[in-house]
Amino acid sequence: PGVMNMDLRKMLCNIVPFPMAHFFLDTIAPLMPPDRQKYVQLDESALQKQWFNALNAMHSTDYRHGRFMAAAVLYRGDVTQREATLKVFELMDKGSSPFVEWIPHNATISHCKVAPQGTSKSVALIANSTAIQEDFKTIHEKIVNMLTHHTYLSQYNLEGLENEDFFEARDKLCLLSTSDAADEQRG
């Protein structure tokens, strides 16, 4: 709800720097019970720290094992555009920034003045990170293990999948995990 100063097409163009790199990781802050929110005063620094907290993530990938290629930061509520922009650029200017250096201006900031129900301000981070390669490697290992031991293949075959589908999936996951690793080494 409310007028946002960024449309979804602009966000998508900015957050997908390469055609094969479009696996988004998201975080929401503050993520706490509604009865506790009225007792906690959050400033922009506290919200920024919660971006990288594993408890606020909507996935199991650890951000610390990768770098952000691009990100969209969506502020809502009682946050000025200037404060939001300063916090993001402050994070990007640090020497140990979680953002890759070889993509300039890789964070898009949006602000909506209408706060979510139950809190005065919030932030959502949608990021394209190289940390996803860990998940790709895990899935790749499981597919290789399943193909090696012929585990559950008959069940999948009964459902209409063929063994060639698994070989194709294995090859694509191998390509994704190695291309992300190469991107991270380059950055």
Side-chain angles (χ1 to χ4, degrees):
V3 177
M4 300 209 44
N5 61 356
M6 178 176 70
D7 64 28
L8 294 177
R9 281 176 287 160
K10 180 180 174 185
M11 181 178 75
L12 182 64
C13 288
N14 289 337
I15 206 168
V16 182
F18 304 106
M20 292 275 299
H22 57 275
F23 301 98
F24 302 139
L25 306 175
D26 54 342
T27 303
I28 298 173
L31 195 58
M32 62 182 74
D35 57 335
R36 186 171 166 231
Q37 287 180 357
K38 57 186 167 190
Y39 301 111
V40 177
Q41 294 295 325
L42 291 173
D43 61 350
E44 285 68 34
S45 297
L47 285 174
Q48 184 180 16
K49 287 178 186 174
Q50 288 187 16
W51 290 356
F52 303 108
N53 189 340
L55 298 175
N56 290 8
M58 301 292 132
H59 49 81
S60 63
T61 305
D62 190 356
Y63 286 129
R64 294 172 294 190
H65 297 158
R67 313 261 326 257
F68 292 124
M69 290 186 286
V73 185
L74 312 164
Y75 281 95
R76 290 186 63 189
D78 189 22
V79 180
T80 65
Q81 185 73 30
R82 183 175 185 279
E83 290 172 354
T85 305
L86 283 176
K87 285 298 172 190
V88 172
F89 285 129
E90 177 183 299
L91 179 67
M92 291 174 67
D93 288 340
K94 288 184 178 178
S96 62
S97 172
F99 291 92
V100 294
E101 294 86 18
W102 45 271
I103 302 177
H105 310 291
N106 53 353
T108 303
I109 304 158
S110 177
H111 182 252
C112 176
K113 294 181 189 238
V114 179
Q117 186 175 0
T119 184
S120 64
K121 59 182 87 172
S122 74
V123 65
L125 173 72
I126 303 170
N128 197 346
S129 175
T130 59
I132 195 77
Q133 70 184 347
E134 289 183 0
D135 292 342
F136 290 148
K137 287 178 183 176
T138 303
I139 295 169
H140 180 260
E141 290 170 4
K142 290 182 180 186
I143 287 178
V144 167
N145 190 23
M146 184 175 68
L147 289 173
T148 304
H149 300 293
H150 301 289
T151 312
Y152 301 112
L153 286 180
S154 60
Q155 293 293 325
Y156 288 110
N157 290 337
L158 288 173
E159 294 293 327
L161 286 174
E162 307 218 356
N163 290 350
E164 290 79 30
D165 295 333
F166 289 104
F167 291 115
E168 185 179 346
R170 179 198 62 191
D171 294 341
K172 286 185 178 181
L173 282 168
C174 184
L175 177 67
L176 284 171
S177 62
T178 56
S179 67
D180 276 350
D183 288 344
E184 187 169 336
Q185 287 174 356
R186 186 169 39 145

